[in-house]
């Protein structure tokens, strides 16, 4: 999964409206469960990206690695701050 996201990051590099940040998380309590967080500057850019054929190909590759159903969730950032 990491390799797929790395390759996609190289393909999307320099493109306007693409992802601005990504995180791939592994569930400590269920090591077969992963969560990918993909950040965009706006909801509209995220939706344009979702409709991109390149994104569809990447999602198919990730889906082939999944055992269960993939779940997509659209979230709005409510608060973010450093806790130092």
């Amino acid at each position: 999964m990491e390799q797929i996201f790395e390759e996609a990051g190289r393909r999307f590099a320099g493109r306007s409206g693409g992802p601005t940040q990504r995180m791939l998380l592994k569930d400590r309590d269920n090591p077969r469960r992963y969560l990918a967080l993909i950040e965009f500057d706006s909801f509209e850019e995220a939706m344009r990206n979702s409709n991109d054929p390149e994104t569809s190909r990447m999602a198919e590759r990730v889906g082939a690695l999944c055992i269960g159903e993939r779940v997509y969730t659209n979230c709005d950032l409510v608060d973010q701050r450093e806790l130092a």
Side-chain angles (χ1 to χ4, degrees), residues 2 5 8 11 13 15 25 31 33 49 58 70 72 76:
E2 285 181 79
F5 284 119
R11 285 193 303 276
R15 287 177 42 179
L25 307 173
R33 180 182 301 158
N49 186 75
M58 182 194 72
R70 285 176 286 167
Y72 294 94
D76 288 321

Side-chain angles (χ1 to χ4, degrees), residues 19-77:
T20 58
Q21 182 173 317
R22 71 167 169 82
M23 291 194 315
L24 182 59
L25 307 173
K26 183 176 182 178
D27 188 331
R28 287 179 179 241
D29 297 323
N30 181 353
R32 294 171 47 148
R33 180 182 301 158
Y34 289 83
L35 175 65
L37 298 174
I38 313 296
E39 185 177 324
F40 293 85
D41 282 333
S42 70
F43 176 76
E44 292 76 21
E45 288 178 357
M47 292 301 95
R48 274 193 298 277
N49 186 75
S50 292
N51 293 323
D52 185 313
E54 185 69 30
T55 300
S56 296
R57 283 189 287 279
M58 182 194 72
E60 287 175 17
R61 290 181 64 201
V62 169
L65 298 174
C66 296
I67 295 169
E69 180 182 344
R70 285 176 286 167
V71 178
Y72 294 94
T73 305
N74 293 315
C75 300
D76 288 321
L77 178 63

